[in-house]
Amino acid sequence: MQQSIRYLFYLGIITCTLAITLIFGTNLYLKPSLPKINLVDESELQMPLKVYTKDKKLIGEFGEIKRRSVSFNEIPIDIKNAFLAAEDDNFFNHQGISYTGLIRSFIRCLRPTGCEGGGGTITMQVVRGYLLTREQTITRKIKEIFLALELEGKLKKEEIFELYVNRIFLGNRSYGIQAAANTYFDKNLDELNISESATIAALAQLPSRVNPVKDKRRTQQRRNWILSRMLHLDYINKDQYDEAILDEIKIANDINLFDVDASYIAELARQDVIERYGLKAYKEGWSVYTTIDSYSQNVTKDGMLEQLFLYDKRHGWRDPDNFQNLFSGSQIESLQKLDLKILFDNKYFNNMDLDDDDISNKINNVFNSYPHYNTHTKAIVLKVEEKKFIAINQNLELIESLWSNEYSWARNQESIDSFGSRPSSFEDLLAFGDFIYLKNDDGFFTLDQIPIVESSIVSINPKNGEVKAYHGGKNFNASNFDRVRLSYPQTGSSFKPFIYASSLANGYNLSSLINDAPIAFEDENLESVWRPQNYTGKFYGPISLREALIKSVNIVSIKLLRELGLEKSQEYIENFGFSKSRLPNDLSLALGSGNFSPAEMVRAFSVIASDGYIPDMHYIHEIKDRNGNLIFSHNESLTKLNTQSINAFPWLDTIEMNVKSPYYLLKPLNKKDKVIDERISFLIKDTLEGFLKNGVAGRKSAFLERDDIGGKTGTTNDSVSTWFSGFHQDLVTTVWVGTDDFTSLGQNEYGSTIALPIWLDYMDKVMNTLEVSNKNIPEDISFVKVNKLTGKVDADAGDDDAYFELFLKENIN
């Protein structure tokens, strides 16, 4: 007996010695190939390029990986418990490894199929995800053990858990729990309920298969198991479990992950940053801070959409797209009876990949092919009655809308200017299978339609060139074509101020008289005799330049340009940033027949607002790396890159300088001095302030109760494009409204009916941030008495025949 005990004792010593030797030897052998544990650090994560407003609101995220890191203290208790219940409920007690789990893993590794299955403690998953390959071998499993033990010795449990939830892949390009919450539920972590927290934890093991986008049924089964584990571990009580288990998984559709809608400027930033720095910018967690002001960006978008919808309703109801052909006869019969069972066939949930022929998948494809609007719900009509219709939304839920008298606008559009009779019921408007948009007002749904017309807005500070608001269109997802920079419509009457400025610089006065009377022009650059008309159809006779510009009289603009001469006028207009080669070489220039982008127009009007200076507009304020270190600063770029030196020494324009140069909206002109006489600028500014006190513009803008704002409308032939460019000394904004196919907006649509109201809505929201400007008249400008009949200085003119006007000193004689 003693001999047996002695034998077992020595055997145990030998076994322990061998085990220790084996472990030590294995560690010694593998040590050179083991990654350094300090690589388990947030700095090693692949992080996307993020774009922000100047006030740090997220507007864009680019890269293959969507990741938003959170600290341990920011993680809600429910999602902590969901992951612990799903992956490692003993995490806060063990030393990094689970011995029972290891035995199961090694048994699996002995199978012919290899080490299938993930598992392991959270600590082991961290070192596997951060430091090791995905190979399924015993060697890798041993490496996991050593690294897990080492990691436990270096970091606190909270730090390891934090690394885990920020690293883990949860499907659909989402890395980490915050990105997953955004992606699947369009929520932040602190907004998730217990069911949603368990759903995210359900994705951890195999997101390619357990995924609510691809397989909702399997995801729900995994979620339910996690909820049962949470109940078993006393993480939740029975009432919480009962409520969560009945909660249907509803993933978000058309997710907007950003705080502010500024996709056009975010895309421009992406393009320019990648062009300068290469693809590494997608991975290194850089933050790009634009000059955009989030409040200005939001209110300009809201005002734009509001006016576009109002315009659209003025032009009637367009027949919606119909998708009845997607359904079989029996499916139509079932859906019209509001029986949705056919949409929830088991194969829809059980197949790993969705079947393209599945009716639910076809419906989702229809919904996904139309752009999302936060204010509207997409739907397909199922049943139409006289005073009610029922439709199905993107979550495959039934929604109902009732008839009201407000649908009197929905006359059938026969053409842009002709309509059918007013509808008396939904049966006049809708049919089964119609795709529609519904305006959602706290669960009350109103039939609506998305305007075809497009718009763009750009707003800048004329003093420093900062872009404050920027919309290249009404919806980036519908069309990513940037109409601020890349669209060149005719400018119409909004171009006239530059013609008048050139006249004032060449001897004319605001009191100079031009006879507004019918005329025919024979211009060798025109194909036929040209008989221009004023848009009012009236002629005013002799009229001063000030009044002609305020009333936007076409005949006067043309005659003025003819008297000035094209060459002289074009040379002066170049000072506003317009390339002479792109200016029309005939008298139609006076009516804005030139094609210029809204970006070029806002720059030109900035010359008027800023007393003769022309800004180089920039849109990126600074760029920082993931640690907050400065990569680029606009202010430093202006200091370091002396443009005069570059102009003088072209060989200094190196790659380094290009990387550090400002991010300009248009090619910089590098003009630090005034481009026009500030007195000319003042006279045009004063006249355009008068424009906003007279006529239609005056009536519409009166509610603002400000005298220090001005602007000019523009409407092209057949109302193809409408414009308004308005200014305050600290803010210049250009609004364009038109169609991409250059069709008419309607015979009664002008810059004053569409573009001006968008600007007025914006100014109403921001006017309290703009100080009232002092009207300081420049030197060498005087108020003088003018004879109404001659337009000339006449100190002796009687009061009835005279008025006071601003004159350049040299023109007083």
Side-chain angles (χ1 to χ4, degrees):
M1 182 69 177
Q2 289 180 342
Q3 188 175 2
S4 297
I5 292 173
R6 188 181 299 112
Y7 174 77
L8 290 174
F9 174 73
Y10 286 119
L11 180 62
I13 290 176
I14 293 170
T15 302
C16 288
T17 303
L18 288 174
I20 292 171
T21 303
L22 179 63
I23 293 171
F24 181 78
T26 304
N27 186 40
L28 195 64
Y29 172 74
L30 294 176
K31 190 71 174 176
S33 65
L34 290 177
K36 292 181 180 180
I37 203 69
N38 61 10
L39 291 181
V40 183
D41 186 271
E42 193 70 12
S43 65
E44 297 303 318
L45 291 176
Q46 179 175 328
M47 303 283 282
L49 175 71
K50 295 182 180 180
V51 185
Y52 297 88
T53 61
K54 193 174 184 179
D55 50 337
K56 300 182 180 179
K57 303 292 186 181
L58 185 65
I59 60 175
E61 185 177 55
F62 304 97
E64 295 181 0
I65 290 176
K66 292 186 288 184
R67 193 196 307 280
R68 294 178 174 87
S69 298
V70 290
S71 67
F72 182 82
N73 292 332
E74 294 173 321
I75 305 172
I77 189 63
D78 286 332
I79 201 159
K80 287 178 184 174
N81 288 337
F83 273 91
L84 292 173
E87 301 299 321
D88 188 359
D89 62 278
N90 199 37
F91 170 70
F92 284 97
N93 299 316
H94 60 59
Q95 293 182 325
I97 57 176
S98 167
Y99 296 103
T100 55
L102 283 177
I103 292 172
R104 290 195 301 269
S105 294
F106 278 118
I107 291 174
R108 284 197 298 266
C109 288
L110 294 175
R111 295 173 181 170
T113 53
C115 302
E116 286 187 338
T121 66
I122 285 177
T123 309
M124 294 173 69
Q125 292 187 56
V126 168
V127 296
R128 180 194 313 151
Y130 276 75
L131 303 173
L132 299 173
T133 66
R134 303 302 295 179
E135 61 176 347
Q136 296 176 335
T137 63
I138 292 178
T139 301
R140 195 211 66 185
K141 184 62 68 176
I142 295 172
K143 288 181 179 180
E144 276 184 31
I145 296 169
F146 287 131
L147 288 170
L149 293 170
E150 187 178 353
L151 182 61
E152 289 274 347
K154 287 182 176 289
L155 298 180
K156 296 177 181 178
K157 284 286 189 179
E158 291 80 2
E159 293 173 316
I160 296 172
F161 190 85
E162 182 182 313
L163 287 169
Y164 172 66
V165 295
N166 285 326
R167 166 67 177 178
I168 189 168
F169 176 59
L170 296 168
N172 290 288
R173 298 196 303 118
S174 298
Y175 285 75
I177 53 176
Q178 179 68 282
N182 296 155
T183 296
Y184 294 110
F185 299 110
D186 196 15
K187 294 181 179 181
N188 291 318
L189 282 177
D190 57 4
E191 298 174 309
L192 298 177
N193 60 32
I194 294 172
S195 171
E196 291 164 341
S197 298
T199 300
I200 289 177
L203 311 179
Q205 282 298 315
L206 200 58
S208 61
R209 295 183 184 177
V210 180
N211 186 305
V213 175
K214 290 185 176 181
D215 197 333
K216 191 177 291 186
R217 178 71 59 84
R218 185 175 290 174
T219 304
Q220 184 168 320
Q221 289 173 342
R222 175 74 176 170
R223 180 208 65 175
N224 292 351
W225 177 80
I226 292 173
L227 290 172
S228 67
R229 289 275 297 151
M230 294 175 74
L231 178 64
H232 174 72
L233 294 166
D234 292 327
Y235 293 157
I236 56 175
N237 59 40
K238 186 65 165 58
D239 290 340
Q240 290 173 314
Y241 170 81
D242 290 340
E243 181 181 353
I245 206 78
L246 295 176
D247 193 15
E248 181 185 351
I249 296 177
K250 294 181 179 180
I251 61 174
N253 295 303
D254 300 306
I255 301 164
N256 179 14
L257 300 179
F258 308 122
D259 302 319
V260 177
D261 185 355
S263 295
Y264 288 96
I265 202 73
E267 171 60 17
L268 178 59
R270 179 198 70 82
Q271 292 176 12
D272 284 353
V273 169
I274 295 303
E275 182 180 355
R276 293 192 187 193
Y277 296 99
L279 296 178
K280 69 177 182 178
Y282 280 142
K283 303 177 181 180
E284 298 190 357
W286 291 3
S287 295
V288 177
Y289 295 94
T290 66
T291 59
I292 296 296
D293 172 69
S294 62
Y295 180 75
S296 296
Q297 185 73 10
N298 282 333
V299 297
T300 47
K301 181 62 175 290
D302 292 344
M304 172 203 287
L305 289 178
E306 180 181 357
Q307 292 301 323
L308 294 187
F309 275 97
L310 288 174
Y311 160 83
D312 196 64
K313 286 179 173 55
R314 294 199 290 269
H315 294 273
W317 173 256
R318 300 182 302 276
D319 289 336
D321 296 335
N322 186 273
F323 294 93
Q324 179 174 332
N325 61 347
L326 290 182
F327 307 96
S328 66
S330 60
Q331 289 171 336
I332 292 174
E333 185 177 350
S334 296
L335 291 174
Q336 287 184 325
K337 293 178 181 178
L338 308 182
D339 180 0
L340 304 185
K341 291 179 182 178
I342 61 168
L343 304 182
F344 299 98
D345 193 300
N346 281 337
K347 70 178 182 179
Y348 172 70
F349 297 106
N350 292 335
N351 286 355
M352 187 178 302
D353 297 313
L354 293 180
D355 186 349
D356 287 339
D357 292 329
D358 188 280
I359 188 60
S360 298
N361 194 41
K362 289 181 178 180
I363 291 175
N364 280 325
N365 287 340
V366 171
F367 283 125
N368 291 335
S369 65
Y370 288 86
H372 171 68
Y373 289 82
N374 290 332
T375 53
H376 287 69
T377 296
K378 293 183 275 189
I380 294 177
V381 176
L382 298 184
K383 185 176 182 179
V384 182
E385 299 176 359
E386 184 178 359
K387 302 300 180 184
K388 179 177 74 174
F389 73 86
I390 300 173
I392 188 170
N393 67 13
Q394 195 161 354
N395 290 323
L396 304 185
E397 300 167 326
L398 293 174
I399 52 179
E400 178 181 281
S401 183
L402 301 177
W403 181 261
S404 71
N405 291 330
E406 72 176 88
Y407 293 117
S408 59
W409 66 267
R411 296 175 296 167
N412 185 59
Q413 184 187 103
E414 297 170 352
S415 71
I416 194 65
D417 290 314
S418 62
F419 317 98
S421 58
R422 290 182 177 181
S424 59
S425 73
F426 283 125
E427 292 172 336
D428 295 331
L429 302 174
L430 299 173
F432 175 88
D434 281 347
F435 175 87
I436 56 174
Y437 282 92
L438 297 166
K439 191 171 183 180
N440 188 349
D441 185 12
D442 293 329
F444 183 80
F445 295 98
T446 305
L447 180 64
D448 209 349
Q449 67 184 8
I450 303 301
I452 295 176
V453 67
E454 273 293 350
S455 180
S456 65
I457 302 174
V458 56
S459 185
I460 72 169
N461 182 330
K463 293 180 178 177
N464 59 20
E466 279 193 353
V467 178
K468 311 299 290 184
Y470 190 102
H471 295 284
K474 67 177 184 286
N475 190 302
F476 183 82
N477 293 323
S479 168
N480 57 22
F481 178 62
D482 184 350
R483 296 163 186 82
V484 170
R485 294 183 307 115
L486 304 178
S487 180
Y488 299 92
Q490 288 188 339
T491 55
S493 294
S494 63
F495 195 82
K496 289 177 181 175
F498 313 119
I499 302 290
Y500 281 73
S502 67
S503 72
L504 297 179
N506 286 280
Y508 285 78
N509 303 304
L510 288 175
S511 65
S512 298
L513 298 179
I514 302 287
N515 187 24
D516 177 37
I519 192 170
F521 293 99
E522 293 188 11
D523 189 326
E524 62 182 14
N525 294 309
L526 300 175
E527 294 181 359
S528 59
V529 175
W530 183 33
R531 294 180 174 83
Q533 300 288 320
N534 295 325
Y535 80 95
T536 61
K538 294 193 251 178
F539 296 96
Y540 297 95
I543 186 173
S544 71
L545 294 193
R546 178 187 285 274
E547 190 176 1
L549 181 54
I550 288 174
K551 292 183 176 179
S552 198
V553 181
N554 288 342
I555 303 298
V556 172
S557 299
I558 298 167
K559 287 184 175 181
L560 184 63
L561 178 59
R562 185 179 64 170
E563 291 180 12
L564 276 171
L566 272 171
E567 184 72 20
K568 184 180 294 185
S569 189
Q570 287 172 335
E571 288 176 357
Y572 188 82
I573 290 171
E574 277 192 290
N575 293 318
F576 293 92
F578 300 110
S579 171
K580 184 178 179 182
S581 63
R582 290 172 51 206
L583 292 170
N585 205 30
D586 57 56
L587 294 178
S588 68
L589 172 66
L591 304 186
S593 64
N595 300 81
F596 296 101
S597 69
E600 291 172 303
M601 290 297 287
V602 79
R603 180 176 63 183
F605 271 88
S606 293
V607 177
I608 298 171
S610 63
D611 300 325
Y613 292 99
I614 189 165
D616 285 325
M617 301 176 292
H618 69 280
Y619 69 94
I620 289 183
H621 176 61
E622 60 185 19
I623 303 173
K624 293 183 177 180
D625 67 16
R626 69 173 70 196
N627 298 315
N629 299 315
L630 206 58
I631 296 173
F632 167 85
S633 166
H634 177 76
N635 293 335
E636 287 185 9
S637 72
L638 294 180
T639 302
K640 292 179 179 179
L641 292 180
N642 187 312
T643 54
Q644 289 182 340
S645 296
I646 292 176
N647 289 334
F649 307 103
W651 55 87
L652 293 178
D653 191 11
T654 62
I655 293 176
E656 170 90 19
M657 284 185 160
N658 287 334
V659 168
K660 295 295 184 181
S661 63
Y663 288 78
Y664 289 122
L665 202 60
L666 298 173
K667 184 178 179 180
L669 301 174
N670 297 321
K671 295 183 178 180
K672 305 305 179 187
D673 298 325
K674 293 179 180 180
V675 293
I676 68 171
D677 187 329
E678 67 176 314
R679 299 177 303 163
I680 305 297
S681 173
F682 179 86
L683 293 177
I684 295 296
K685 182 193 300 185
D686 186 70
T687 304
L688 295 183
E689 287 172 353
F691 177 84
L692 276 187
K693 297 186 184 77
N694 288 271
V696 174
R699 291 192 296 274
K700 290 190 173 184
S701 64
F703 75 98
L704 293 177
E705 298 182 344
R706 290 285 286 262
D707 294 327
D708 58 342
I709 54 175
K712 183 69 182 74
T713 54
T715 308
T716 63
N717 287 342
D718 298 323
S719 298
V720 169
S721 285
T722 61
W723 296 79
F724 185 80
S725 289
F727 57 82
H728 172 273
Q729 67 175 12
D730 296 324
L731 190 69
V732 181
T733 307
T734 290
V735 179
W736 169 85
V737 180
T739 61
D740 288 337
D741 59 0
F742 303 109
T743 54
S744 174
L745 296 174
Q747 62 184 6
N748 292 317
E749 300 292 353
Y750 308 97
S752 59
T753 63
I754 317 176
L756 172 61
I758 294 174
W759 181 80
L760 290 174
D761 182 85
Y762 173 38
M763 295 302 287
D764 184 38
K765 302 295 195 307
V766 301
M767 190 63 81
N768 62 339
T769 68
L770 302 172
E771 293 185 3
V772 176
S773 307
N774 295 319
K775 197 154 192 173
N776 298 317
I777 301 177
E779 292 184 8
D780 296 332
I781 285 185
S782 302
F783 270 108
V784 295
K785 202 174 193 181
V786 175
N787 189 310
K788 289 181 182 179
L789 299 176
T790 65
K792 295 180 179 181
V793 176
D794 187 353
D796 298 325
D799 291 342
D800 292 338
D801 296 321
Y803 68 99
F804 284 89
E805 181 57 275
L806 292 167
F807 262 64
L808 301 182
K809 181 179 179 180
E810 60 267 29
N811 289 346
I812 301 174
N813 50 47

